[in-house]
Amino acid sequence: MEIFGMLHGIAFVLYALVCLVSAVHLRWGVWPTLLALAASVPPLCTLIADRWLHRSGRLPRVLDTEPVPETVG
């Protein structure tokens, strides 16, 4: 059981780090950043926060970006 506790702790810390890196990279304000971090505490609230961040335009979908055209050299 100790291994699962450690894995859960590592996943929690990684989620917090990804939230902070995303907040800086995507230029979120204080409130969206705090919401994303607070969503990691109650079970499944990250799904709700993710959906809100997408709908509010703060988290672009990867599939919405256009591919970079290749140049023939």
Side-chain angles (χ1 to χ4, degrees):
M1 284 306 251
E2 286 181 25
I3 190 77
F4 294 113
M6 184 177 66
L7 290 175
H8 182 264
I10 290 171
F12 182 82
V13 170
L14 286 176
Y15 177 82
L17 288 174
V18 168
C19 281
L20 293 173
V21 169
S22 297
V24 171
H25 181 71
L26 297 173
R27 299 179 185 198
W28 292 348
V30 173
W31 291 114
T33 304
L34 290 177
L35 175 77
L37 289 171
S40 66
V41 178
L44 300 176
C45 283
T46 55
L47 300 174
I48 297 167
D50 182 63
R51 189 172 190 166
W52 176 75
L53 288 166
H54 278 292
R55 287 185 173 190
S56 66
R58 291 179 174 92
L59 190 61
R61 296 190 189 278
V62 175
L63 299 176
D64 290 344
T65 60
E66 295 181 17
V68 177
E70 294 182 23
T71 57
V72 179

Short mmCIF file of all heavy atoms in Angstrom, two decimals:
data_model
loop_
_atom_site.label_atom_id
_atom_site.label_comp_id
_atom_site.label_asym_id
_atom_site.label_seq_id
_atom_site.Cartn_x
_atom_site.Cartn_y
_atom_site.Cartn_z
N MET A 1 0.81 -1.20 0.00
CA MET A 1 0.00 0.00 0.00
C MET A 1 0.86 1.26 0.00
O MET A 1 0.40 2.30 -0.44
CB MET A 1 -0.94 0.01 1.21
CG MET A 1 -2.12 -0.92 1.07
SD MET A 1 -3.03 -0.62 -0.42
CE MET A 1 -4.49 0.11 0.20
N GLU A 2 2.07 1.15 0.52
CA GLU A 2 2.94 2.32 0.56
C GLU A 2 3.25 2.83 -0.84
O GLU A 2 3.36 4.04 -1.05
CB GLU A 2 4.24 1.99 1.29
CG GLU A 2 4.09 1.86 2.77
CD GLU A 2 5.40 1.57 3.45
OE1 GLU A 2 6.45 1.91 2.87
OE2 GLU A 2 5.38 1.02 4.54
N ILE A 3 3.39 1.93 -1.78
CA ILE A 3 3.73 2.33 -3.15
C ILE A 3 2.61 3.17 -3.76
O ILE A 3 2.87 4.13 -4.47
CB ILE A 3 4.08 1.11 -4.03
CG1 ILE A 3 4.66 1.54 -5.38
CG2 ILE A 3 2.88 0.23 -4.28
CD1 ILE A 3 6.07 1.99 -5.31
N PHE A 4 1.35 2.81 -3.47
CA PHE A 4 0.23 3.56 -4.01
C PHE A 4 0.14 4.96 -3.40
O PHE A 4 -0.20 5.92 -4.08
CB PHE A 4 -1.09 2.80 -3.82
CG PHE A 4 -1.15 1.54 -4.62
CD1 PHE A 4 -1.16 0.31 -3.98
CD2 PHE A 4 -1.18 1.57 -6.01
CE1 PHE A 4 -1.20 -0.86 -4.71
CE2 PHE A 4 -1.22 0.40 -6.75
CZ PHE A 4 -1.23 -0.81 -6.10
N GLY A 5 0.45 5.06 -2.14
CA GLY A 5 0.47 6.37 -1.49
C GLY A 5 1.54 7.26 -2.08
O GLY A 5 1.34 8.45 -2.32
N MET A 6 2.71 6.68 -2.34
CA MET A 6 3.80 7.44 -2.94
C MET A 6 3.45 7.86 -4.37
O MET A 6 3.69 9.00 -4.76
CB MET A 6 5.09 6.62 -2.94
CG MET A 6 6.29 7.41 -3.45
SD MET A 6 7.83 6.50 -3.37
CE MET A 6 7.54 5.21 -4.56
N LEU A 7 2.88 6.94 -5.14
CA LEU A 7 2.47 7.27 -6.52
C LEU A 7 1.41 8.36 -6.53
O LEU A 7 1.43 9.25 -7.39
CB LEU A 7 1.97 6.02 -7.24
CG LEU A 7 3.02 4.97 -7.58
CD1 LEU A 7 2.36 3.73 -8.17
CD2 LEU A 7 4.06 5.53 -8.52
N HIS A 8 0.48 8.30 -5.60
CA HIS A 8 -0.56 9.31 -5.51
C HIS A 8 0.06 10.67 -5.17
O HIS A 8 -0.32 11.70 -5.74
CB HIS A 8 -1.59 8.92 -4.46
CG HIS A 8 -2.71 9.88 -4.35
ND1 HIS A 8 -2.73 10.89 -3.41
CD2 HIS A 8 -3.86 10.01 -5.05
CE1 HIS A 8 -3.83 11.60 -3.55
NE2 HIS A 8 -4.54 11.09 -4.53
N GLY A 9 1.00 10.69 -4.27
CA GLY A 9 1.68 11.93 -3.90
C GLY A 9 2.47 12.51 -5.06
O GLY A 9 2.46 13.72 -5.31
N ILE A 10 3.15 11.65 -5.81
CA ILE A 10 3.90 12.11 -6.98
C ILE A 10 2.96 12.68 -8.03
O ILE A 10 3.23 13.73 -8.61
CB ILE A 10 4.75 10.96 -7.56
CG1 ILE A 10 5.89 10.62 -6.60
CG2 ILE A 10 5.29 11.31 -8.93
CD1 ILE A 10 6.65 9.36 -6.96
N ALA A 11 1.83 12.01 -8.27
CA ALA A 11 0.85 12.51 -9.24
C ALA A 11 0.28 13.86 -8.80
O ALA A 11 0.09 14.76 -9.63
CB ALA A 11 -0.28 11.50 -9.43
N PHE A 12 0.04 14.02 -7.52
CA PHE A 12 -0.49 15.27 -6.98
C PHE A 12 0.51 16.41 -7.20
O PHE A 12 0.15 17.48 -7.67
CB PHE A 12 -0.79 15.10 -5.49
CG PHE A 12 -1.39 16.33 -4.86
CD1 PHE A 12 -2.74 16.59 -4.98
CD2 PHE A 12 -0.59 17.21 -4.15
CE1 PHE A 12 -3.30 17.72 -4.39
CE2 PHE A 12 -1.13 18.34 -3.56
CZ PHE A 12 -2.48 18.59 -3.69
N VAL A 13 1.77 16.17 -6.89
CA VAL A 13 2.80 17.19 -7.06
C VAL A 13 2.99 17.51 -8.54
O VAL A 13 3.13 18.69 -8.92
CB VAL A 13 4.12 16.75 -6.40
CG1 VAL A 13 5.27 17.67 -6.78
CG2 VAL A 13 3.96 16.68 -4.90
N LEU A 14 2.98 16.50 -9.41
CA LEU A 14 3.11 16.74 -10.85
C LEU A 14 1.94 17.56 -11.38
O LEU A 14 2.13 18.45 -12.22
CB LEU A 14 3.22 15.41 -11.60
CG LEU A 14 4.55 14.69 -11.48
CD1 LEU A 14 4.50 13.35 -12.19
CD2 LEU A 14 5.68 15.54 -12.04
N TYR A 15 0.73 17.28 -10.91
CA TYR A 15 -0.43 18.06 -11.33
C TYR A 15 -0.27 19.52 -10.93
O TYR A 15 -0.52 20.43 -11.72
CB TYR A 15 -1.72 17.50 -10.73
CG TYR A 15 -2.93 18.33 -11.08
CD1 TYR A 15 -3.57 18.17 -12.30
CD2 TYR A 15 -3.42 19.32 -10.21
CE1 TYR A 15 -4.67 18.95 -12.64
CE2 TYR A 15 -4.50 20.09 -10.55
CZ TYR A 15 -5.13 19.91 -11.76
OH TYR A 15 -6.20 20.69 -12.09
N ALA A 16 0.19 19.75 -9.71
CA ALA A 16 0.39 21.13 -9.24
C ALA A 16 1.45 21.84 -10.08
O ALA A 16 1.28 23.00 -10.45
CB ALA A 16 0.78 21.13 -7.76
N LEU A 17 2.53 21.14 -10.40
CA LEU A 17 3.58 21.73 -11.23
C LEU A 17 3.07 22.05 -12.64
O LEU A 17 3.37 23.12 -13.19
CB LEU A 17 4.79 20.82 -11.29
CG LEU A 17 5.63 20.73 -10.02
CD1 LEU A 17 6.72 19.67 -10.17
CD2 LEU A 17 6.24 22.07 -9.69
N VAL A 18 2.30 21.14 -13.21
CA VAL A 18 1.75 21.38 -14.55
C VAL A 18 0.79 22.56 -14.52
O VAL A 18 0.76 23.37 -15.45
CB VAL A 18 1.07 20.09 -15.09
CG1 VAL A 18 0.24 20.39 -16.33
CG2 VAL A 18 2.12 19.04 -15.40
N CYS A 19 0.01 22.68 -13.46
CA CYS A 19 -0.90 23.84 -13.33
C CYS A 19 -0.11 25.14 -13.29
O CYS A 19 -0.46 26.11 -13.97
CB CYS A 19 -1.73 23.73 -12.05
SG CYS A 19 -3.12 22.62 -12.21
N LEU A 20 0.95 25.16 -12.52
CA LEU A 20 1.74 26.39 -12.40
C LEU A 20 2.46 26.73 -13.71
O LEU A 20 2.50 27.89 -14.13
CB LEU A 20 2.74 26.26 -11.25
CG LEU A 20 2.11 26.20 -9.87
CD1 LEU A 20 3.17 25.92 -8.82
CD2 LEU A 20 1.36 27.49 -9.55
N VAL A 21 3.02 25.73 -14.37
CA VAL A 21 3.68 25.97 -15.66
C VAL A 21 2.66 26.44 -16.69
O VAL A 21 2.92 27.36 -17.46
CB VAL A 21 4.42 24.70 -16.14
CG1 VAL A 21 4.88 24.83 -17.57
CG2 VAL A 21 5.60 24.40 -15.22
N SER A 22 1.48 25.83 -16.70
CA SER A 22 0.42 26.24 -17.63
C SER A 22 -0.03 27.67 -17.34
O SER A 22 -0.26 28.44 -18.27
CB SER A 22 -0.78 25.30 -17.52
OG SER A 22 -0.42 24.00 -17.90
N ALA A 23 -0.16 28.00 -16.07
CA ALA A 23 -0.60 29.34 -15.69
C ALA A 23 0.38 30.39 -16.19
O ALA A 23 -0.02 31.45 -16.69
CB ALA A 23 -0.76 29.43 -14.18
N VAL A 24 1.67 30.11 -16.07
CA VAL A 24 2.67 31.07 -16.55
C VAL A 24 2.68 31.12 -18.07
O VAL A 24 2.66 32.19 -18.68
CB VAL A 24 4.07 30.70 -16.00
CG1 VAL A 24 5.15 31.53 -16.66
CG2 VAL A 24 4.09 30.88 -14.49
N HIS A 25 2.71 29.95 -18.71
CA HIS A 25 2.79 29.88 -20.17
C HIS A 25 1.55 30.47 -20.85
O HIS A 25 1.66 31.16 -21.87
CB HIS A 25 2.99 28.43 -20.61
CG HIS A 25 3.10 28.24 -22.08
ND1 HIS A 25 4.20 28.65 -22.80
CD2 HIS A 25 2.24 27.71 -22.98
CE1 HIS A 25 4.01 28.36 -24.07
NE2 HIS A 25 2.82 27.80 -24.21
N LEU A 26 0.38 30.20 -20.30
CA LEU A 26 -0.87 30.67 -20.91
C LEU A 26 -1.35 32.00 -20.33
O LEU A 26 -2.42 32.47 -20.68
CB LEU A 26 -1.95 29.60 -20.74
CG LEU A 26 -1.66 28.28 -21.44
CD1 LEU A 26 -2.70 27.23 -21.08
CD2 LEU A 26 -1.60 28.47 -22.95
N ARG A 27 -0.55 32.56 -19.41
CA ARG A 27 -0.83 33.87 -18.81
C ARG A 27 -2.19 33.94 -18.13
O ARG A 27 -2.98 34.85 -18.36
CB ARG A 27 -0.69 34.97 -19.86
CG ARG A 27 0.69 35.05 -20.42
CD ARG A 27 0.81 36.11 -21.44
NE ARG A 27 2.17 36.03 -22.00
CZ ARG A 27 2.73 36.99 -22.67
NH1 ARG A 27 2.10 38.11 -22.87
NH2 ARG A 27 3.94 36.84 -23.14
N TRP A 28 -2.46 32.93 -17.29
CA TRP A 28 -3.67 32.95 -16.50
C TRP A 28 -3.52 33.99 -15.41
O TRP A 28 -2.43 34.29 -14.97
CB TRP A 28 -3.92 31.61 -15.83
CG TRP A 28 -4.26 30.49 -16.75
CD1 TRP A 28 -4.58 30.58 -18.07
CD2 TRP A 28 -4.28 29.11 -16.42
NE1 TRP A 28 -4.82 29.34 -18.58
CE2 TRP A 28 -4.65 28.41 -17.60
CE3 TRP A 28 -4.04 28.39 -15.27
CZ2 TRP A 28 -4.78 27.03 -17.63
CZ3 TRP A 28 -4.17 27.02 -15.30
CH2 TRP A 28 -4.54 26.36 -16.47
N GLY A 29 -4.64 34.47 -14.92
CA GLY A 29 -4.62 35.36 -13.76
C GLY A 29 -4.52 34.54 -12.48
O GLY A 29 -4.36 33.31 -12.51
N VAL A 30 -4.65 35.22 -11.37
CA VAL A 30 -4.55 34.55 -10.07
C VAL A 30 -5.71 33.59 -9.84
O VAL A 30 -5.52 32.45 -9.41
CB VAL A 30 -4.49 35.60 -8.94
CG1 VAL A 30 -4.54 34.93 -7.57
CG2 VAL A 30 -3.23 36.45 -9.07
N TRP A 31 -6.94 34.03 -10.15
CA TRP A 31 -8.11 33.21 -9.84
C TRP A 31 -8.17 31.91 -10.65
O TRP A 31 -8.44 30.85 -10.08
CB TRP A 31 -9.40 34.01 -9.98
CG TRP A 31 -9.50 35.05 -8.91
CD1 TRP A 31 -9.47 36.40 -9.07
CD2 TRP A 31 -9.59 34.82 -7.50
NE1 TRP A 31 -9.54 37.03 -7.85
CE2 TRP A 31 -9.62 36.09 -6.87
CE3 TRP A 31 -9.65 33.68 -6.71
CZ2 TRP A 31 -9.70 36.22 -5.49
CZ3 TRP A 31 -9.73 33.83 -5.34
CH2 TRP A 31 -9.76 35.08 -4.74
N PRO A 32 -7.94 31.93 -11.97
CA PRO A 32 -7.93 30.64 -12.69
C PRO A 32 -6.84 29.69 -12.19
O PRO A 32 -7.05 28.48 -12.11
CB PRO A 32 -7.69 31.03 -14.15
CG PRO A 32 -8.15 32.43 -14.24
CD PRO A 32 -7.86 33.04 -12.92
N THR A 33 -5.70 30.26 -11.81
CA THR A 33 -4.61 29.43 -11.30
C THR A 33 -5.00 28.81 -9.96
O THR A 33 -4.80 27.60 -9.75
CB THR A 33 -3.32 30.27 -11.13
OG1 THR A 33 -3.00 30.87 -12.38
CG2 THR A 33 -2.16 29.41 -10.66
N LEU A 34 -5.55 29.61 -9.06
CA LEU A 34 -5.98 29.08 -7.76
C LEU A 34 -7.10 28.06 -7.92
O LEU A 34 -7.14 27.06 -7.20
CB LEU A 34 -6.41 30.21 -6.85
CG LEU A 34 -5.29 31.12 -6.34
CD1 LEU A 34 -5.87 32.25 -5.50
CD2 LEU A 34 -4.27 30.32 -5.55
N LEU A 35 -8.01 28.30 -8.86
CA LEU A 35 -9.09 27.34 -9.10
C LEU A 35 -8.52 26.01 -9.58
O LEU A 35 -8.93 24.95 -9.10
CB LEU A 35 -10.08 27.88 -10.13
CG LEU A 35 -11.16 26.89 -10.53
CD1 LEU A 35 -12.22 26.81 -9.44
CD2 LEU A 35 -11.77 27.27 -11.84
N ALA A 36 -7.58 26.06 -10.52
CA ALA A 36 -6.99 24.82 -11.04
C ALA A 36 -6.24 24.07 -9.94
O ALA A 36 -6.30 22.85 -9.87
CB ALA A 36 -6.06 25.14 -12.20
N LEU A 37 -5.54 24.80 -9.08
CA LEU A 37 -4.83 24.15 -7.99
C LEU A 37 -5.79 23.60 -6.94
O LEU A 37 -5.61 22.49 -6.43
CB LEU A 37 -3.85 25.13 -7.35
CG LEU A 37 -2.63 25.49 -8.19
CD1 LEU A 37 -1.85 26.62 -7.54
CD2 LEU A 37 -1.74 24.28 -8.41
N ALA A 38 -6.83 24.36 -6.60
CA ALA A 38 -7.81 23.91 -5.60
C ALA A 38 -8.61 22.72 -6.10
O ALA A 38 -9.06 21.89 -5.31
CB ALA A 38 -8.74 25.06 -5.23
N ALA A 39 -8.77 22.62 -7.42
CA ALA A 39 -9.53 21.50 -7.98
C ALA A 39 -8.83 20.16 -7.78
O ALA A 39 -9.46 19.11 -7.92
CB ALA A 39 -9.77 21.74 -9.47
N SER A 40 -7.56 20.20 -7.44
CA SER A 40 -6.84 18.94 -7.25
C SER A 40 -7.16 18.28 -5.91
O SER A 40 -6.82 17.12 -5.71
CB SER A 40 -5.33 19.20 -7.33
OG SER A 40 -4.89 20.01 -6.26
N VAL A 41 -7.84 18.99 -5.01
CA VAL A 41 -8.11 18.43 -3.68
C VAL A 41 -9.36 17.55 -3.67
O VAL A 41 -9.27 16.37 -3.31
CB VAL A 41 -8.17 19.55 -2.62
CG1 VAL A 41 -8.49 18.97 -1.25
CG2 VAL A 41 -6.84 20.30 -2.58
N PRO A 42 -10.55 18.06 -4.05
CA PRO A 42 -11.73 17.17 -4.05
C PRO A 42 -11.68 16.19 -5.23
O PRO A 42 -11.19 16.54 -6.30
CB PRO A 42 -12.92 18.12 -4.22
CG PRO A 42 -12.39 19.49 -4.01
CD PRO A 42 -10.93 19.44 -4.31
N PRO A 43 -12.15 14.98 -5.03
CA PRO A 43 -12.12 13.99 -6.11
C PRO A 43 -12.88 14.45 -7.35
O PRO A 43 -13.98 15.00 -7.27
CB PRO A 43 -12.80 12.76 -5.50
CG PRO A 43 -12.67 12.95 -4.03
CD PRO A 43 -12.69 14.44 -3.80
N LEU A 44 -12.28 14.26 -8.49
CA LEU A 44 -12.84 14.52 -9.82
C LEU A 44 -13.12 16.00 -10.13
O LEU A 44 -13.69 16.30 -11.17
CB LEU A 44 -14.10 13.69 -10.06
CG LEU A 44 -13.91 12.17 -9.97
CD1 LEU A 44 -15.24 11.46 -10.12
CD2 LEU A 44 -12.92 11.67 -10.99
N CYS A 45 -12.76 16.90 -9.27
CA CYS A 45 -12.98 18.32 -9.55
C CYS A 45 -12.03 18.85 -10.63
O CYS A 45 -12.30 19.87 -11.23
CB CYS A 45 -12.85 19.15 -8.29
SG CYS A 45 -14.31 19.01 -7.26
N THR A 46 -10.96 18.13 -10.89
CA THR A 46 -10.07 18.55 -11.98
C THR A 46 -10.78 18.47 -13.32
O THR A 46 -10.51 19.26 -14.21
CB THR A 46 -8.80 17.69 -12.01
OG1 THR A 46 -9.18 16.31 -12.10
CG2 THR A 46 -7.94 17.91 -10.79
N LEU A 47 -11.71 17.53 -13.45
CA LEU A 47 -12.48 17.43 -14.70
C LEU A 47 -13.37 18.66 -14.89
O LEU A 47 -13.50 19.18 -16.00
CB LEU A 47 -13.33 16.16 -14.69
CG LEU A 47 -12.55 14.84 -14.58
CD1 LEU A 47 -13.52 13.68 -14.45
CD2 LEU A 47 -11.63 14.66 -15.75
N ILE A 48 -13.98 19.13 -13.81
CA ILE A 48 -14.82 20.32 -13.88
C ILE A 48 -13.98 21.55 -14.18
O ILE A 48 -14.34 22.37 -15.03
CB ILE A 48 -15.60 20.50 -12.55
CG1 ILE A 48 -16.54 19.31 -12.33
CG2 ILE A 48 -16.35 21.82 -12.54
CD1 ILE A 48 -17.10 19.24 -10.94
N ALA A 49 -12.83 21.67 -13.53
CA ALA A 49 -11.94 22.81 -13.77
C ALA A 49 -11.42 22.79 -15.20
O ALA A 49 -11.35 23.83 -15.86
CB ALA A 49 -10.78 22.79 -12.78
N ASP A 50 -11.07 21.61 -15.70
CA ASP A 50 -10.59 21.48 -17.07
C ASP A 50 -11.65 21.93 -18.07
O ASP A 50 -11.36 22.67 -19.01
CB ASP A 50 -10.19 20.03 -17.34
CG ASP A 50 -9.62 19.83 -18.72
OD1 ASP A 50 -8.58 20.42 -19.02
OD2 ASP A 50 -10.24 19.08 -19.50
N ARG A 51 -12.87 21.50 -17.84
CA ARG A 51 -13.96 21.89 -18.73
C ARG A 51 -14.19 23.40 -18.71
O ARG A 51 -14.36 24.02 -19.75
CB ARG A 51 -15.24 21.16 -18.32
CG ARG A 51 -16.34 21.32 -19.30
CD ARG A 51 -17.48 20.42 -18.94
NE ARG A 51 -18.43 20.43 -20.03
CZ ARG A 51 -19.40 19.58 -20.17
NH1 ARG A 51 -19.55 18.63 -19.30
NH2 ARG A 51 -20.21 19.67 -21.19
N TRP A 52 -14.14 24.01 -17.52
CA TRP A 52 -14.32 25.46 -17.41
C TRP A 52 -13.17 26.21 -18.08
O TRP A 52 -13.40 27.20 -18.78
CB TRP A 52 -14.43 25.87 -15.94
CG TRP A 52 -14.52 27.35 -15.77
CD1 TRP A 52 -15.61 28.13 -16.02
CD2 TRP A 52 -13.48 28.24 -15.37
NE1 TRP A 52 -15.30 29.45 -15.78
CE2 TRP A 52 -13.99 29.54 -15.37
CE3 TRP A 52 -12.15 28.05 -14.99
CZ2 TRP A 52 -13.23 30.64 -15.03
CZ3 TRP A 52 -11.40 29.14 -14.64
CH2 TRP A 52 -11.95 30.43 -14.66
N LEU A 53 -11.96 25.73 -17.89
CA LEU A 53 -10.80 26.39 -18.51
C LEU A 53 -10.88 26.32 -20.04
O LEU A 53 -10.53 27.27 -20.73
CB LEU A 53 -9.50 25.76 -18.01
CG LEU A 53 -9.14 26.09 -16.56
CD1 LEU A 53 -8.04 25.17 -16.06
CD2 LEU A 53 -8.73 27.55 -16.42
N HIS A 54 -11.36 25.20 -20.57
CA HIS A 54 -11.53 25.09 -22.02
C HIS A 54 -12.63 26.04 -22.52
O HIS A 54 -12.45 26.76 -23.49
CB HIS A 54 -11.90 23.65 -22.42
CG HIS A 54 -10.73 22.75 -22.53
ND1 HIS A 54 -9.78 22.86 -23.51
CD2 HIS A 54 -10.35 21.70 -21.77
CE1 HIS A 54 -8.87 21.93 -23.35
NE2 HIS A 54 -9.20 21.20 -22.30
N ARG A 55 -13.78 26.02 -21.84
CA ARG A 55 -14.91 26.85 -22.27
C ARG A 55 -14.63 28.33 -22.16
O ARG A 55 -15.15 29.12 -22.95
CB ARG A 55 -16.16 26.51 -21.46
CG ARG A 55 -16.75 25.19 -21.86
CD ARG A 55 -18.04 24.96 -21.14
NE ARG A 55 -18.68 23.76 -21.65
CZ ARG A 55 -19.89 23.41 -21.36
NH1 ARG A 55 -20.62 24.13 -20.55
NH2 ARG A 55 -20.40 22.31 -21.87
N SER A 56 -13.82 28.72 -21.20
CA SER A 56 -13.51 30.14 -21.03
C SER A 56 -12.35 30.60 -21.92
O SER A 56 -11.97 31.76 -21.88
CB SER A 56 -13.21 30.45 -19.56
OG SER A 56 -12.03 29.79 -19.15
N GLY A 57 -11.79 29.68 -22.69
CA GLY A 57 -10.70 30.03 -23.61
C GLY A 57 -9.34 30.13 -22.96
O GLY A 57 -8.39 30.58 -23.58
N ARG A 58 -9.23 29.71 -21.72
CA ARG A 58 -7.94 29.78 -21.02
C ARG A 58 -7.07 28.55 -21.27
O ARG A 58 -5.89 28.57 -20.99
CB ARG A 58 -8.17 29.92 -19.52
CG ARG A 58 -8.74 31.26 -19.15
CD ARG A 58 -8.98 31.36 -17.67
NE ARG A 58 -9.39 32.69 -17.29
CZ ARG A 58 -10.65 33.08 -17.22
NH1 ARG A 58 -11.62 32.24 -17.52
NH2 ARG A 58 -10.94 34.31 -16.85
N LEU A 59 -7.64 27.50 -21.81
CA LEU A 59 -6.91 26.27 -22.08
C LEU A 59 -7.27 25.80 -23.48
O LEU A 59 -8.27 25.12 -23.68
CB LEU A 59 -7.28 25.21 -21.03
CG LEU A 59 -6.46 23.96 -20.99
CD1 LEU A 59 -5.00 24.27 -20.69
CD2 LEU A 59 -6.99 23.01 -19.94
N PRO A 60 -6.46 26.17 -24.47
CA PRO A 60 -6.79 25.79 -25.85
C PRO A 60 -6.62 24.29 -26.06
O PRO A 60 -5.78 23.65 -25.43
CB PRO A 60 -5.77 26.57 -26.68
CG PRO A 60 -4.63 26.83 -25.76
CD PRO A 60 -5.23 26.92 -24.38
N ARG A 61 -7.43 23.77 -26.92
CA ARG A 61 -7.32 22.35 -27.26
C ARG A 61 -6.18 22.18 -28.25
O ARG A 61 -5.99 22.99 -29.14
CB ARG A 61 -8.62 21.84 -27.86
CG ARG A 61 -9.77 21.89 -26.91
CD ARG A 61 -10.98 21.16 -27.47
NE ARG A 61 -12.15 21.37 -26.65
CZ ARG A 61 -12.42 20.70 -25.54
NH1 ARG A 61 -11.59 19.79 -25.12
NH2 ARG A 61 -13.52 20.94 -24.86
N VAL A 62 -5.46 21.10 -28.12
CA VAL A 62 -4.32 20.84 -29.00
C VAL A 62 -4.81 20.60 -30.42
O VAL A 62 -4.18 21.02 -31.38
CB VAL A 62 -3.51 19.62 -28.49
CG1 VAL A 62 -2.40 19.27 -29.45
CG2 VAL A 62 -2.96 19.91 -27.11
N LEU A 63 -5.95 20.00 -30.58
CA LEU A 63 -6.47 19.69 -31.92
C LEU A 63 -6.94 20.93 -32.66
O LEU A 63 -7.14 20.89 -33.86
CB LEU A 63 -7.61 18.68 -31.81
CG LEU A 63 -7.24 17.33 -31.21
CD1 LEU A 63 -8.49 16.47 -31.06
CD2 LEU A 63 -6.22 16.63 -32.07
N ASP A 64 -7.13 22.06 -31.96
CA ASP A 64 -7.60 23.28 -32.60
C ASP A 64 -6.49 24.04 -33.31
O ASP A 64 -6.75 24.96 -34.07
CB ASP A 64 -8.23 24.22 -31.57
CG ASP A 64 -9.56 23.68 -31.05
OD1 ASP A 64 -10.10 22.76 -31.70
OD2 ASP A 64 -10.03 24.16 -30.01
N THR A 65 -5.25 23.66 -33.10
CA THR A 65 -4.14 24.38 -33.73
C THR A 65 -3.91 23.85 -35.13
O THR A 65 -4.12 22.68 -35.42
CB THR A 65 -2.85 24.24 -32.90
OG1 THR A 65 -2.52 22.85 -32.82
CG2 THR A 65 -3.03 24.81 -31.50
N GLU A 66 -3.49 24.73 -36.00
CA GLU A 66 -3.21 24.33 -37.37
C GLU A 66 -1.80 23.79 -37.46
O GLU A 66 -0.89 24.30 -36.81
CB GLU A 66 -3.35 25.53 -38.31
CG GLU A 66 -4.75 26.07 -38.37
CD GLU A 66 -4.86 27.25 -39.32
OE1 GLU A 66 -3.94 27.44 -40.14
OE2 GLU A 66 -5.85 27.98 -39.24
N PRO A 67 -1.59 22.76 -38.28
CA PRO A 67 -0.24 22.23 -38.40
C PRO A 67 0.68 23.20 -39.13
O PRO A 67 0.25 23.98 -39.97
CB PRO A 67 -0.43 20.94 -39.23
CG PRO A 67 -1.73 21.14 -39.94
CD PRO A 67 -2.57 22.05 -39.07
N VAL A 68 1.94 23.14 -38.77
CA VAL A 68 2.93 23.99 -39.43
C VAL A 68 3.25 23.40 -40.79
O VAL A 68 3.56 22.21 -40.90
CB VAL A 68 4.22 24.06 -38.56
CG1 VAL A 68 5.28 24.88 -39.26
CG2 VAL A 68 3.89 24.60 -37.19
N PRO A 69 3.13 24.20 -41.87
CA PRO A 69 3.43 23.66 -43.20
C PRO A 69 4.90 23.29 -43.34
O PRO A 69 5.78 23.98 -42.84
CB PRO A 69 3.04 24.78 -44.16
CG PRO A 69 3.02 26.01 -43.31
CD PRO A 69 2.75 25.59 -41.91
N GLU A 70 5.13 22.17 -44.00
CA GLU A 70 6.50 21.72 -44.20
C GLU A 70 7.07 22.40 -45.45
O GLU A 70 6.37 22.59 -46.45
CB GLU A 70 6.54 20.21 -44.39
CG GLU A 70 6.12 19.45 -43.14
CD GLU A 70 6.22 17.96 -43.34
OE1 GLU A 70 6.99 17.52 -44.22
OE2 GLU A 70 5.54 17.23 -42.61
N THR A 71 8.32 22.76 -45.37
CA THR A 71 8.98 23.36 -46.53
C THR A 71 9.84 22.31 -47.21
O THR A 71 10.50 21.49 -46.57
CB THR A 71 9.88 24.54 -46.12
OG1 THR A 71 10.84 24.07 -45.16
CG2 THR A 71 9.05 25.65 -45.49
N VAL A 72 9.75 22.29 -48.52
CA VAL A 72 10.55 21.34 -49.29
C VAL A 72 11.87 22.01 -49.60
O VAL A 72 11.93 23.09 -50.17
CB VAL A 72 9.81 20.94 -50.58
CG1 VAL A 72 10.66 19.98 -51.41
CG2 VAL A 72 8.46 20.35 -50.26
N GLY A 73 12.94 21.39 -49.18
CA GLY A 73 14.22 22.04 -49.31
C GLY A 73 15.06 21.39 -50.27
O GLY A 73 15.81 21.40 -51.04
#
